[in-house]
Amino acid sequence: MSAPAKLPTEPKSLRVGCIGGGQLGRMMALEAPRLNIQMSFLDPSGENCPAAAVAGKTSTVLKGGLNDENMLRELAKSCDVVTCEIEHIGTDVLEKMEQEGVNVQPSGRVVKIIQDKFAQKEHFAKHGIPLPPYVNIPSADAIRDAASKFGLPLMLKSRLGAYDGRGNAVLKDTSDTSISAALESLGIKSEDGKDLPLYAEGWINFHSEVAVMVVRSSNGETSAYPAVTAIQTDSICRVVLAPARGVPIELRQKCEDIASKAIKALGDGASGVFGVELFIAENDGKLDVLLNEVAPRPHNTGHYTQDACAVSQFENHLRAVCGLPLGDTNLAVGAAAMVNVLGAKSGTVEDTMKGSNAALSMSRATVHWYGKEGCRAGRKMGHINLTADSHGELDKSLSELLKLEDISESVIPGGLGSSPLVGIIMGSQSDLPTMQAAVEIMKEFNIPYEVDIVSAHRTPDKLCSYSRSAASRGLQVIIAGAGGAAHLPGMVAAMTPLPVVGVPIKTSTLNGQDSLLSIVQMPRGIPVATVAIGNAMNAGLLAVRSLCGSRPELRQKMEAYQVEMKRKVDQMSESLTALGSDKFLDGMENKSTAVNV
Amino acid sequence: MSAPAKLPTEPKSLRVGCIGGGQLGRMMALEAPRLNIQMSFLDPSGENCPAAAVAGKTSTVLKGGLNDENMLRELAKSCDVVTCEIEHIGTDVLEKMEQEGVNVQPSGRVVKIIQDKFAQKEHFAKHGIPLPPYVNIPSADAIRDAASKFGLPLMLKSRLGAYDGRGNAVLKDTSDTSISAALESLGIKSEDGKDLPLYAEGWINFHSEVAVMVVRSSNGETSAYPAVTAIQTDSICRVVLAPARGVPIELRQKCEDIASKAIKALGDGASGVFGVELFIAENDGKLDVLLNEVAPRPHNTGHYTQDACAVSQFENHLRAVCGLPLGDTNLAVGAAAMVNVLGAKSGTVEDTMKGSNAALSMSRATVHWYGKEGCRAGRKMGHINLTADSHGELDKSLSELLKLEDISESVIPGGLGSSPLVGIIMGSQSDLPTMQAAVEIMKEFNIPYEVDIVSAHRTPDKLCSYSRSAASRGLQVIIAGAGGAAHLPGMVAAMTPLPVVGVPIKTSTLNGQDSLLSIVQMPRGIPVATVAIGNAMNAGLLAVRSLCGSRPELRQKMEAYQVEMKRKVDQMSESLTALGSDKFLDGMENKSTAVNV
């Protein structure tokens, strides 16, 4: 391990040259000045590229092809480190330059492995990374072999130059016409004596797609951002949800582990941020993780890090390629969503900006516009990040944005509004009249909640699945009501890390004393927060109080609620002193007012 | 109210010209591209100013004085809106330009009021804003009048050109030599027939300094960021703590209200971000708020917003001067700190960067380097932002940074480590052997905590002050243990919005059944989370579980804790089945192992 790296000490003394000047380069350039790093760019559009507009007056922006040897050498001349924001670049030239002493991060060798998606697969397979079944397709005949081996439908993929879904074709049958059509859609012509630049993948039972940004420093330090749900429509990334929704926490951890292992397996020169796309496959109800593909650069599925993490993927990419210590990759917020802004169908800028303009007025929303010259339907023009304390609290803004961006709500795993913060459960429907008081508190404080019947003794399997999945579904508190041998709250508490509030239901035999003692007398290690017999209202208030910790506005509401309680008692007191106790009591009997429990 | 404003629709079509190109302009420029805003600058250093390095290749950077009519007109020519990042600018020229139709935000009139700190005071006094006592000092004689009116020490302040503490002098006596020395330190010479550019302020019983960033759109929409503690040493801002520490929530609210009222009182043309500095004065133990002064631009005390809020003061300044909807001004994190990086005493860049380099490896830390050419002792070279879920969780990193930045820990109100998350209290020292189990859990999960004796019946005043101040001191959960007529937990719950966990202490007369029922049977409206008799360990675990909501890492720790519990029981089970019950029991008796409560 080399000595700890330090920030460059003279203004502009660390110069990073980036191959490509699109939105990814632009967003790197916006982070670089804080770290005393100056960026230069090589892009076919030269000074018209998105990065040029933010590159700073003294930086170099070169116009040229990304595999043009002269221009790559020109870029390297003005820089201390050369990196890239796109993988379709001249890796042979880069490897030559590296031999001559140029500092290229990630190295040409690593980018080359990733460029050829079949070579990528072979590399990862060799290192024990789980992959969907795949096979090389050197000839049209091999397609039929693959179909008989993996079954239909079969996924045909271009080895080179794939981007945003271009380069994939689904083959539904193996007729000559279907095969020709697939090859044509991939732009591939069979030339005599030449291998097809193609491979095939077996169909998997797709549950969802997950992405993990892995950052690896040129000195070997590696860190992974949390696994997120990546949602594509027409093979283009549209929405990202962080952390991944509807994916159990162990599986998220597994995604992060596999992603980190894959990047480490790329070996020396694997530095910078890597976008790792993974499939969650579902077989016989069991979920498993397979690596899809890797990009050697910041990635669309990592844009959420700009507003959800202390250090974004762009800053960490720069830190990594410069050999600086890596920054914090944990979420600094409870949940985040990213929505891509694509050029509207009409192609007009006005239509395209509807979502971004609405986002200006949303709480905890940030607009990231790429400044591209020329808007056309489907082009990535910008993105919007939302953050909140939990997924449930994101959904209102997210729903509005999906509408404006013409994205169907059905793409959200589990659907919108499926991420309640508080779960209210009870052993029997006969408990509902008591438990409804907790529901009323949720409504009053505007907290997303769910209500269900879970019986410890009659539905023990549901008890387990509910308790085990509660935290990964986004619940933050569980309120459980039960009577008699009231095992529900304690059994739930045994199977979740969440705080569980127990409501002892009043019983006809022992007036709820049985319920109370069953719920409160838990053994050491597994706590249940027990409230008074039948007092589900207090259970609701307890849930609200424990949600206040990270929600200052909710705490203010709770304080106002307490002031209001005081006001009501003051009113009673005024009325009592004014009327005297006799008259006041008459009034109470008539109205049968319950002053208190 | 005008129609809702929208983002500019063509690249670079909204151009904002900024008078001044220092670090504030630079940080605006880093936010502008996301909103499709292009910035130009006028600065005496021209292309060498900090903003120029990030201004983008096609933007204009002019070299010239900030009150040079020709240059101001030149800047306006290339822009749609003219704003400023410093108040010492040519307001007369700006007012003329406005009359000719140039869009200047904030207006010359507003900046002029603020430039002259005496005129500022007069303006705010007229609008009922609370101020320290002050008086105009047109002559040296007036100094003695002021001293006899306000008493000594007396604060003498320059009306114009004050910045970072320059322009303030403390007068301790009214001798000729002292007065001459004070005037000399302010660079003021008495010229015949000319008023002194001076005013005096009465000394106040200083508790702390608070700052509020207020943003006001050119269409009148106004929003305030939370009140923060601003800590100065040698009259230069060094540390900011958000939200303000050691200031009760009602008083923080009052600061925000007064700050918003003051900015609204500036009237039309008061647009952009305003840094409002306030004093908390302490008289007879009562705290009160007084306005100190206002800056018509983003402010050093608002830098924390870059990493602690969804929309920073810089973005909101741009939104405000362009008439776009204002962005969210709430904290998106529990707590934040900003530490200024000043040029080290040695004047070397290496020494100056010690804190920034250390921050690269701290969790949730961000380095903001200004790229100034030339480092000298005391010069503002950059700043570091820290964020966390609570003040208590910031203190470790903050302490390290204070050391590296040569700032005494004593500047932190209440001191470092004074912001525990969990308060553990009990009615009597005799409860401690039971309650210690909760303390052990805090240690195991590494949660900042405090322990104290608070008796409901013997120290009722302490009960009130403890409960009332708990939330504003940063506590997030209170664990209260009590026995017999166990009123402590419920009474605390009645006076705080925090969740209160009650531990019924086992008693000799009724085995703790009295304590249990006293604690758990709370009336509707005031919940206490009750655990089993004597089970303070579970109270600690409940506190941890409720802190997990906003702390994913803590939740992982709790999950690991539960796995470990399972492992221990599995071990017992293996041992029991291997040994058989007879032998196992022998072993237990010898070791007197307690398997469970």
Side-chain angles (χ1 to χ4, degrees):
Chain A
M1 200 71 155
S2 51
K6 289 182 180 177
L7 288 165
T9 51
E10 290 300 322
K12 294 163 203 165
S13 71
L14 196 60
R15 296 160 307 163
V16 173
C18 184
I19 307 170
Q23 65 262 27
L24 301 177
R26 175 184 170 100
M27 291 187 273
M28 271 184 223
L30 288 172
E31 306 264 15
R34 291 195 290 101
L35 299 174
N36 213 11
I37 291 169
Q38 193 187 18
M39 295 200 69
S40 293
F41 293 93
L42 166 62
D43 193 272
S45 306
E47 303 233 331
N48 292 325
C49 73
V54 305
K57 300 216 71 76
T58 50
S59 72
T60 310
V61 178
L62 301 171
K63 184 171 180 164
L66 306 184
N67 39 26
D68 178 322
E69 175 154 0
N70 289 334
M71 295 315 288
L72 287 170
R73 288 188 180 280
E74 186 68 23
L75 180 70
K77 244 190 266 169
S78 68
C79 295
D80 303 300
V81 185
V82 173
T83 188
C84 62
E85 57 118 54
I86 181 166
E87 56 274 29
H88 307 305
I89 57 177
T91 49
D92 290 337
V93 181
L94 291 177
E95 287 190 271
K96 237 195 298 177
M97 284 162 54
E98 285 175 81
Q99 275 157 18
E100 296 160 14
V102 175
N103 186 2
V104 182
Q105 307 286 353
S107 70
R109 182 191 67 79
V110 166
V111 177
K112 202 175 195 170
I113 294 171
I114 292 172
Q115 267 180 349
D116 179 340
K117 286 166 69 182
F118 180 71
Q120 201 190 115
K121 292 240 180 280
E122 292 280 280
H123 187 89
F124 289 135
K126 204 172 68 192
H127 286 86
I129 306 294
L131 300 166
Y134 72 96
V135 68
N136 194 15
I137 300 288
S139 65
D141 286 346
I143 294 177
R144 289 202 176 83
D145 294 345
S148 68
K149 190 172 169 194
F150 299 147
L152 287 166
L154 185 71
M155 202 68 180
L156 292 176
K157 294 188 169 182
S158 297
R159 290 174 63 152
L160 294 165
Y163 203 78
D164 277 348
R166 275 170 284 163
N168 290 355
V170 179
L171 192 71
K172 290 189 177 152
D173 63 74
T174 52
S175 66
D176 285 351
T177 35
S178 292
I179 290 177
S180 299
L183 290 178
E184 200 178 323
S185 81
L186 295 170
I188 289 171
K189 279 182 201 135
S190 187
E191 289 170 50
D192 279 341
K194 262 204 159 179
D195 281 3
L196 292 177
L198 206 63
Y199 70 102
E201 255 180 42
W203 202 255
I204 58 159
N205 290 317
F206 181 82
H207 170 273
S208 58
E209 192 167 334
V210 163
V212 176
M213 299 297 113
V214 175
V215 55
R216 189 155 180 270
S217 161
S218 56
N219 64 27
E221 186 187 357
T222 305
S223 185
Y225 284 94
V228 299
T229 297
I231 297 166
Q232 313 209 348
T233 63
D234 298 327
S235 302
I236 292 187
C237 175
R238 296 306 307 274
V239 180
V240 167
L241 304 168
R245 274 204 212 188
V247 179
I249 194 161
E250 323 76 76
L251 213 64
R252 273 166 24 208
Q253 186 66 52
K254 196 173 172 186
C255 290
E256 292 156 22
D257 292 347
I258 289 173
S260 299
K261 192 178 162 195
I263 299 314
K264 284 179 195 158
L266 289 169
D268 280 353
S271 58
V273 160
F274 292 79
V276 181
E277 296 182 278
L278 304 125
F279 293 128
I280 307 278
E282 188 164 11
N283 290 309
D284 305 325
K286 244 197 80 194
L287 300 181
D288 213 356
V289 183
L290 302 169
L291 186 100
N292 176 19
E293 61 183 61
V294 163
R297 52 169 171 84
H299 195 261
N300 199 164
T301 55
H303 291 355
Y304 75 92
T305 60
Q306 294 173 311
D307 295 292
C309 302
V311 175
S312 77
Q313 64 167 346
F314 300 103
E315 176 174 345
N316 254 334
H317 182 79
L318 291 171
R319 289 191 187 209
V321 301
C322 295
L324 292 168
L326 297 184
D328 201 334
T329 54
N330 289 300
L331 282 175
V333 297
M338 190 247 20
V339 178
N340 265 353
V341 178
L342 304 186
K345 277 182 195 144
S346 68
T348 68
V349 184
E350 285 73 15
D351 285 349
T352 302
M353 289 189 130
K354 278 193 293 186
S356 305
N357 278 313
L360 291 178
S361 305
M362 290 176 181
S363 68
R364 294 176 66 170
T366 338
V367 175
H368 298 259
W369 200 248
Y370 302 156
K372 287 184 181 174
E373 301 213 324
C375 173
R376 55 168 194 271
R379 190 179 196 197
K380 288 180 182 171
M381 300 301 289
H383 69 269
I384 299 160
N385 283 336
L386 296 173
T387 66
D389 287 311
S390 70
H391 274 305
E393 288 152 291
L394 277 178
D395 280 3
K396 203 172 146 267
S397 298
L398 183 56
S399 159
E400 201 181 322
L401 281 184
L402 293 180
K403 269 193 207 88
L404 292 167
E405 296 296 336
D406 239 334
I407 304 170
S408 160
E409 286 197 1
S410 66
V411 300
I412 306 294
L416 285 172
S418 63
S419 303
L421 276 181
V422 176
I424 300 174
I425 56 175
M426 59 209 80
S428 152
Q429 66 281 9
S430 65
D431 304 331
L432 186 56
T434 303
M435 297 304 289
Q436 183 64 16
V439 174
E440 296 302 332
I441 294 292
M442 296 305 115
K443 290 188 207 161
E444 183 160 356
F445 284 89
N446 200 20
I447 290 169
Y449 67 95
E450 63 177 18
V451 191
D452 202 358
I453 296 167
V454 179
S455 166
H457 306 121
R458 284 161 293 185
T459 63
D461 294 335
K462 186 174 180 184
L463 165 76
C464 294
S465 64
Y466 186 90
S467 312
R468 295 267 185 227
S469 69
S472 66
R473 287 196 302 116
L475 288 178
Q476 296 204 357
V477 185
I478 295 173
I479 298 175
H487 298 172
L488 180 66
M491 287 310 300
V492 173
M495 291 184 278
T496 179
L498 299 177
V500 176
V501 182
V503 182
I505 303 287
K506 195 168 175 179
T507 49
S508 49
T509 32
L510 294 168
N511 278 319
Q513 290 185 51
D514 43 354
S515 323
L516 171 61
L517 296 176
S518 286
I519 292 174
V520 77
Q521 286 297 99
M522 288 293 290
R524 277 191 293 170
I526 305 104
V528 170
T530 310
V531 295
I533 297 167
N535 198 337
M537 180 191 187
N538 274 8
L541 290 170
L542 205 51
V544 175
R545 285 188 183 211
S546 78
L547 292 171
C548 287
S550 57
R551 295 173 181 80
E553 281 156 277
L554 188 60
R555 175 166 301 155
Q556 275 179 1
K557 240 172 162 174
M558 176 53 80
E559 286 172 320
Y561 180 88
Q562 291 176 285
V563 169
E564 177 60 16
M565 279 198 296
K566 177 182 171 295
R567 199 192 55 77
K568 278 185 186 156
V569 179
D570 285 346
Q571 220 171 24
M572 282 295 165
S573 142
E574 267 172 45
S575 165
L576 171 57
T577 46
L579 294 172
S581 63
D582 294 355
K583 273 200 182 160
F584 187 85
L585 207 54
D586 283 349
M588 272 182 72
E589 276 159 8
N590 292 339
K591 292 183 212 146
S592 67
T593 309
V595 176
N596 240 331
V597 169
Chain B
M1 201 72 156
S2 52
K6 289 181 178 176
L7 288 164
T9 51
E10 291 299 324
K12 295 164 202 164
S13 70
L14 196 59
R15 295 160 307 164
V16 173
C18 184
I19 307 169
Q23 66 262 27
L24 302 176
R26 175 184 169 102
M27 291 186 274
M28 273 184 220
L30 288 172
E31 306 265 16
R34 291 194 291 100
L35 299 174
N36 213 11
I37 290 169
Q38 194 188 16
M39 294 200 68
S40 292
F41 292 94
L42 166 62
D43 192 90
S45 307
E47 303 233 330
N48 292 325
C49 73
V54 306
K57 301 219 68 80
T58 50
S59 72
T60 310
V61 178
L62 301 171
K63 183 170 179 165
L66 306 184
N67 39 27
D68 178 324
E69 175 153 2
N70 289 334
M71 296 314 287
L72 286 169
R73 289 189 179 279
E74 186 69 22
L75 180 71
K77 244 191 265 170
S78 67
C79 296
D80 302 299
V81 185
V82 173
T83 189
C84 62
E85 56 117 53
I86 181 167
E87 56 274 28
H88 306 306
I89 57 177
T91 49
D92 289 337
V93 182
L94 292 177
E95 286 191 271
K96 238 195 298 179
M97 285 161 55
E98 285 175 80
Q99 275 158 18
E100 295 160 15
V102 175
N103 186 2
V104 181
Q105 307 286 352
S107 70
R109 182 190 66 79
V110 167
V111 176
K112 202 175 196 169
I113 293 173
I114 291 171
Q115 267 180 348
D116 179 340
K117 286 165 70 182
F118 180 70
Q120 203 190 115
K121 293 242 179 275
E122 292 279 280
H123 187 89
F124 289 135
K126 204 172 69 192
H127 286 86
I129 306 295
L131 300 166
Y134 71 96
V135 68
N136 194 14
I137 301 287
S139 64
D141 285 347
I143 296 177
R144 290 202 176 83
D145 294 345
S148 67
K149 191 172 170 193
F150 298 147
L152 288 166
L154 185 73
M155 201 70 180
L156 293 177
K157 294 188 170 184
S158 298
R159 290 172 64 151
L160 295 165
Y163 202 77
D164 277 349
R166 275 171 284 166
N168 289 356
V170 180
L171 192 70
K172 291 187 179 156
D173 63 74
T174 51
S175 64
D176 285 351
T177 35
S178 293
I179 290 178
S180 298
L183 290 179
E184 199 179 323
S185 82
L186 294 170
I188 288 171
K189 280 184 200 131
S190 186
E191 290 171 49
D192 279 341
K194 260 200 159 181
D195 280 0
L196 292 177
L198 206 62
Y199 70 103
E201 255 179 44
W203 201 256
I204 57 160
N205 289 316
F206 182 81
H207 170 274
S208 59
E209 193 166 332
V210 163
V212 176
M213 299 297 113
V214 175
V215 57
R216 187 153 181 271
S217 160
S218 56
N219 64 29
E221 186 187 356
T222 306
S223 185
Y225 285 94
V228 298
T229 297
I231 296 165
Q232 312 209 347
T233 62
D234 299 327
S235 302
I236 292 187
C237 175
R238 295 307 305 274
V239 180
V240 167
L241 304 168
R245 274 205 211 187
V247 180
I249 194 160
E250 322 77 76
L251 212 65
R252 271 163 29 203
Q253 186 65 52
K254 196 173 172 189
C255 290
E256 292 156 20
D257 292 346
I258 289 174
S260 299
K261 193 178 162 196
I263 299 314
K264 284 179 194 158
L266 290 169
D268 279 353
S271 57
V273 160
F274 292 79
V276 181
E277 295 182 278
L278 304 125
F279 293 128
I280 307 278
E282 189 164 10
N283 290 309
D284 305 326
K286 246 198 79 195
L287 300 182
D288 212 357
V289 183
L290 301 170
L291 186 101
N292 175 20
E293 62 183 62
V294 164
R297 50 167 172 85
H299 195 262
N300 199 164
T301 55
H303 291 355
Y304 74 93
T305 61
Q306 293 173 312
D307 295 291
C309 302
V311 175
S312 77
Q313 64 166 347
F314 300 103
E315 176 174 345
N316 254 334
H317 182 78
L318 290 171
R319 289 190 187 209
V321 302
C322 295
L324 293 168
L326 297 183
D328 201 333
T329 54
N330 289 300
L331 282 175
V333 297
M338 190 249 15
V339 177
N340 264 353
V341 179
L342 303 187
K345 276 182 197 145
S346 69
T348 69
V349 184
E350 286 72 15
D351 285 349
T352 301
M353 287 188 131
K354 278 194 294 186
S356 305
N357 278 314
L360 291 178
S361 304
M362 290 177 182
S363 67
R364 295 176 67 171
T366 338
V367 175
H368 297 260
W369 201 247
Y370 301 156
K372 286 184 182 175
E373 301 213 322
C375 174
R376 57 166 191 270
R379 192 178 193 196
K380 287 181 181 171
M381 300 300 290
H383 68 269
I384 300 160
N385 283 335
L386 296 173
T387 66
D389 287 311
S390 70
H391 273 305
E393 288 153 291
L394 277 177
D395 281 2
K396 205 172 143 267
S397 298
L398 184 56
S399 159
E400 203 181 321
L401 281 184
L402 292 180
K403 267 192 210 89
L404 292 167
E405 296 296 336
D406 238 337
I407 304 169
S408 159
E409 286 197 1
S410 67
V411 301
I412 306 296
L416 285 172
S418 62
S419 304
L421 276 181
V422 176
I424 301 174
I425 56 174
M426 58 208 81
S428 152
Q429 67 280 9
S430 65
D431 304 332
L432 186 56
T434 303
M435 297 304 289
Q436 183 65 15
V439 174
E440 296 301 331
I441 295 293
M442 296 306 115
K443 289 187 207 162
E444 183 160 356
F445 285 89
N446 200 19
I447 289 170
Y449 67 94
E450 61 177 19
V451 192
D452 202 358
I453 296 167
V454 179
S455 165
H457 306 122
R458 283 161 294 183
T459 63
D461 293 337
K462 186 174 180 184
L463 165 77
C464 294
S465 63
Y466 187 90
S467 312
R468 296 266 185 226
S469 69
S472 66
R473 287 197 302 118
L475 287 179
Q476 296 203 358
V477 185
I478 295 173
I479 298 175
H487 298 173
L488 180 66
M491 287 310 300
V492 173
M495 290 184 277
T496 179
L498 300 177
V500 176
V501 182
V503 182
I505 302 288
K506 196 169 175 178
T507 48
S508 48
T509 32
L510 294 167
N511 277 320
Q513 292 185 51
D514 43 353
S515 322
L516 172 62
L517 296 176
S518 285
I519 292 173
V520 77
Q521 286 297 100
M522 287 294 291
R524 278 192 293 170
I526 304 103
V528 170
T530 310
V531 295
I533 296 167
N535 198 336
M537 180 190 187
N538 275 6
L541 291 169
L542 205 51
V544 175
R545 285 188 183 212
S546 78
L547 292 172
C548 287
S550 56
R551 295 173 182 82
E553 282 156 276
L554 187 61
R555 177 168 299 156
Q556 275 179 359
K557 238 172 164 176
M558 176 53 79
E559 287 172 318
Y561 180 88
Q562 291 176 285
V563 169
E564 178 60 16
M565 279 197 296
K566 177 181 172 295
R567 198 192 56 77
K568 278 185 187 156
V569 179
D570 284 347
Q571 219 172 23
M572 282 294 164
S573 141
E574 267 173 45
S575 165
L576 170 59
T577 46
L579 294 173
S581 63
D582 294 354
K583 271 199 185 161
F584 187 85
L585 207 53
D586 283 349
M588 271 183 73
E589 277 159 7
N590 291 339
K591 292 185 214 145
S592 68
T593 309
V595 176
N596 239 330
V597 169

